[in-house]
Amino acid sequence: MSERAAKVTPADDEQDDDQITDSAAPDAVTEDDAAGGDSGSTAEPVTTGAESVVRALENAGVEYAFGVQGGAIMPVYDALYDSDIRHVTMAHEQGAAHAADAYGIVSGEPGVCLATSGPGATNLVTGIADADMDSDPMVALTGQVPTEFVGNDAFQETDTTGVTTPVTKDNTFASDSDRVGSDVSEAFALAREGRPGPTLVDLPKDITKGATDREPDAPTVPDTYQVQERADSEIVDAAAERIENCARPVMLLGGGVIKGEASEACREFAIEHEIPVITTMPGIGAFPEDHELSLEMAGMHGTGYANMAVTHCDTLIGIGTRFDDRLTGGIETFAPDAKVIHVDIDPAEISKNIHADYPLIGDAETVVEQLSEAVDSSPEAKKWRAQCQQWKSDYSMAYDAPEDKPVQPEFVVEALDEATSDRAIVTTGVGQHQMWACQYWTYTEPRTWVSSHGLGAMGYGLPSAIGARLAADDDQEVVCIDGDGSFLMTLQGLSVAVREELDITVAVLNNEYIGMVRQWQDAFFDGRHSASDYGWMPEFDKLAEAFGACGFRIDDYDDVAETIDDAIAYDGPSVIDVHIDPDANVYPMVPSGGDNGQFALTEDQL
């Protein structure tokens, strides 16, 4: 698997040409052009390690790569020059990682990002960690100083594999020009196999410059990597019996449902057996939220009715979820009366946080199909479904929007939803705006919700919109709902969107605060707004114009519908600076570690 020690080979380059930066290139080849060059490929034979790296990406069907040039990665960029892979030069390496991450979420295939050694590689780490927390398929390729300089504190040297080991599914220090292309092929295969995640290959400059005529192996995982596809049939039968005989069932769909292409199977199962459905935040879109069985998202800022259903169910069918703390609140109060059926492809997640009475290890789609075959009769749950509908009425997500107050953010999110198609893709940064985007947009399709969940990385929204746009179908709108604090962190990505002529719409919900921090300070720190007041924000509409994008501004309700229509109709990147009520808060809310059934609807209830 990962190599930790470098193989020292003579360097054939000068150190002073390892200290530079900046370039680009272009679309993809076939999967048959792989192992050993015996496939009848018409491609030019490889002559260097760098060309073998690029050939491995071509063989894997890679169409786009996101990155920033630099000295140690330069040989790979030179090889990209003659490739059909389209390289998108980002304005910051963090943006490259987030764009690749979003590309993987929307396309289902690993996104690829590149950076040079040292600061280039370390700038990728936030995006790699985000992909690791959310199990998103991604391949990171990082330049490294020549192997003879490794360990000598050379210019722009960092122990990249050491730094990223905790946040990658697998990483490799390439030590052989003949092998380096196959290292990349294996990294690509590992990123998408089983539970997806980020992989990394660190590429010393002498290895990528080194001579080789070796074609990379096809993208395959090592023989030692085993993934269990089907769950134990006896446990499946026992779980099926539990479902048949329960009275208050709930299906909880996590991000693994979408990554495992199990959304359709879950929808069919829920509808056939009339089981209410809730999702985690990463699972948004796995089940249509306009369906009568949908209770939408559960957890810290989930709907009241979803949290009531979790709290009072007697059977919880969790699929592709890791039961993280933002979902569960206090472990002892989460689904206290329920027997838990847990489906997950990763055995490490079973009973890690919530005890599984019926542990079903396997591929989500496969295991749901197993359950479908094993369940002979639907549970008698008519009264339960009626109760869930009553909770929907009791804990409605309705909100006030008085005309004599500043624009409410919920109104803006709903207006954006109404102005776009059901297949529109939403990306977000992290904060209050992220929660409003969860709560007030109606998601009906998988792979239309793109956000940073486990890591909660502010700044994710704009670069992820770039990756999402390139992965999306031409007829899908891409809308980034961002906060002023998040947008400020990565807004240099506007230069990329303008240069690449990407049709994305950014709506900045501007309250001149780090809003979620301000909300917590009001609730738990006596309203002491330490370092959360951002009253010095720029005028984002004018800033957008300076980048070459189209800028808009919303100050009152009369502006909302027409401005949104104009921004979405604009053929290119547009930014709407939406001045919202600075006092608006996100509710429902379950305090950290609290009881989901005791959610607050106002600050007084916290």
Side-chain angles (χ1 to χ4, degrees):
M1 299 290 275
S2 302
E3 296 185 41
R4 298 287 175 257
K7 176 182 177 182
V8 179
T9 57
D12 62 350
D13 56 333
E14 311 281 25
Q15 192 183 4
D16 59 1
D17 80 334
D18 295 330
Q19 308 179 12
I20 317 184
T21 2
D22 227 291
S23 185
D27 238 84
V29 172
T30 73
E31 205 161 34
D32 293 331
D33 302 337
D38 297 327
S39 59
S41 169
T42 58
E44 292 292 322
V46 301
T47 62
T48 66
E51 290 177 2
S52 185
V53 167
V54 173
R55 182 64 52 80
L57 297 178
E58 292 170 340
N59 291 346
V62 173
E63 297 183 0
Y64 293 94
F66 305 88
V68 179
Q69 250 281 31
I73 196 69
M74 199 176 294
V76 177
Y77 272 90
D78 187 64
L80 270 174
Y81 189 86
D82 296 318
S83 174
D84 288 335
I85 295 171
R86 178 178 168 187
H87 178 267
V88 180
T89 299
M90 300 296 290
H92 190 282
E93 291 90 352
Q94 180 185 345
H98 289 329
D101 177 82
Y103 185 90
I105 293 171
V106 174
S107 71
E109 290 295 317
V112 176
C113 58
L114 300 89
T116 196
S117 61
T122 57
N123 280 346
L124 289 178
V125 172
T126 294
I128 294 171
D130 178 85
D132 184 60
M133 288 284 280
D134 288 350
S135 302
D136 296 332
M138 185 172 79
V139 176
L141 303 178
T142 53
Q144 185 55 274
V145 301
T147 51
E148 67 174 327
F149 295 129
V150 170
N152 291 342
D153 294 331
F155 177 70
Q156 291 193 333
E157 180 193 356
T158 298
D159 178 8
T160 303
T161 55
V163 168
T164 59
T165 292
V167 293
T168 50
K169 183 177 178 181
D170 183 76
N171 67 18
T172 300
F173 183 97
S175 60
D176 187 338
S177 297
D178 285 339
R179 172 68 197 169
V180 66
S182 296
D183 288 338
V184 173
S185 292
E186 185 175 287
F188 196 92
L190 281 166
R192 64 185 175 188
E193 186 76 11
R195 179 179 182 171
T199 59
L200 180 143
V201 184
D202 202 30
L203 303 168
K205 193 171 183 181
D206 58 316
I207 300 303
T208 53
K209 288 184 70 174
T212 184
D213 60 0
R214 173 81 175 270
E215 291 282 341
D217 295 335
T220 53
V221 298
D223 292 340
T224 53
Y225 185 80
Q226 302 292 329
V227 176
Q228 182 173 326
E229 295 288 324
R230 295 180 63 82
D232 182 286
S233 59
E234 289 187 10
I235 304 177
V236 169
D237 288 342
E241 184 178 357
R242 174 67 190 181
I243 293 169
E244 290 170 351
N245 294 301
C246 70
R248 304 188 305 278
V250 162
M251 289 181 69
L252 170 66
L253 307 185
V257 170
I258 296 171
K259 291 170 175 57
E261 303 293 348
S263 298
E264 185 176 350
C266 288
R267 293 182 191 198
E268 290 176 354
F269 186 87
I271 292 168
E272 178 180 356
H273 298 294
E274 298 185 276
I275 298 174
V277 178
I278 61 178
T279 71
T280 66
M281 191 161 73
I284 286 174
F287 191 83
E289 293 183 339
D290 57 358
H291 195 281
E292 63 180 356
L293 288 171
S294 173
L295 301 175
E296 300 161 54
M297 183 182 76
M300 179 176 283
H301 292 294
T303 65
Y305 34 93
N307 283 330
M308 290 297 281
V310 169
T311 301
H312 296 283
C313 69
D314 67 2
T315 302
L316 180 65
I317 308 166
I319 305 173
T321 174
R322 57 193 178 87
F323 290 108
D324 75 302
D325 59 300
R326 293 268 287 196
L327 167 70
T328 64
I331 295 296
E332 65 286 346
T333 58
F334 181 78
D337 301 325
K339 294 295 184 181
V340 176
I341 299 167
H342 189 184
V343 178
D344 206 285
I345 199 165
D346 186 352
E349 293 300 338
I350 302 293
S351 295
K352 184 179 81 174
N353 294 323
I354 297 295
H355 173 71
D357 299 285
Y358 303 89
L360 299 177
I361 301 167
D363 170 72
E365 182 180 33
T366 301
V367 177
V368 173
E369 289 172 351
Q370 286 181 269
L371 282 172
S372 295
E373 293 173 4
V375 174
D376 294 325
S377 59
S378 300
E380 293 290 337
K382 186 176 180 178
K383 289 183 179 179
W384 171 243
R385 289 191 295 274
Q387 176 64 78
C388 290
Q389 291 302 315
Q390 184 61 50
W391 283 326
K392 270 191 172 184
S393 176
D394 293 343
Y395 305 110
S396 164
M397 294 296 290
Y399 59 92
D400 294 327
E403 292 189 8
D404 60 344
K405 290 192 67 176
V407 175
Q408 297 303 302
E410 303 95 328
F411 185 89
V412 177
V413 173
E414 289 185 335
L416 285 162
D417 188 9
E418 290 171 10
T420 54
S421 69
D422 288 345
R423 298 182 63 241
I425 294 170
V426 177
T427 79
T428 77
V430 170
Q432 286 179 315
H433 66 277
Q434 179 188 32
M435 296 303 112
W436 290 316
C438 287
Q439 296 172 331
Y440 291 96
W441 191 291
T442 302
Y443 299 90
T444 60
E445 297 290 336
R447 303 191 185 278
T448 57
W449 164 252
V450 180
S451 195
S452 175
H453 305 109
L455 192 68
M458 290 178 67
Y460 182 86
L462 178 57
S464 66
I466 291 170
R469 174 70 276 165
L470 293 171
D473 294 336
D474 290 342
D475 63 348
Q476 286 183 285
E477 303 100 331
V478 175
V479 176
C480 171
I481 299 175
D482 220 339
D484 46 329
S486 272
F487 188 59
L488 197 64
M489 290 190 171
T490 54
L491 59 76
Q492 67 268 41
L494 277 177
S495 65
V496 180
V498 170
R499 185 191 69 232
E500 300 293 329
E501 300 180 343
L502 301 179
D503 189 10
I504 60 177
T505 303
V506 182
V508 182
L509 302 186
N510 186 350
N511 56 13
E512 297 189 348
Y513 281 105
I514 304 183
M516 190 62 81
V517 172
R518 191 272 304 154
Q519 180 173 337
W520 278 57
Q521 287 172 332
D522 286 345
F524 306 116
F525 293 89
D526 299 322
R528 293 157 57 87
H529 295 166
S530 176
S532 61
D533 188 338
Y534 276 29
W536 36 262
M537 279 294 172
E539 296 179 68
F540 291 119
D541 53 331
K542 293 181 179 178
L543 198 57
E545 299 282 355
F547 275 101
C550 193
F552 299 88
R553 181 180 174 115
I554 290 176
D555 287 300
D556 56 52
Y557 287 106
D558 291 340
D559 299 335
V560 173
E562 184 177 355
T563 303
I564 286 174
D565 285 343
D566 289 345
I568 290 172
Y570 179 73
D571 187 13
S574 61
V575 176
I576 314 171
D577 190 358
V578 188
H579 288 253
I580 63 168
D581 184 352
D583 296 321
N585 286 332
V586 178
Y587 293 107
M589 178 178 177
V590 179
S592 184
D595 181 343
N596 280 356
Q598 300 294 320
F599 50 88
L601 298 175
T602 66
E603 186 176 320
D604 294 341
Q605 296 174 355
L606 288 170

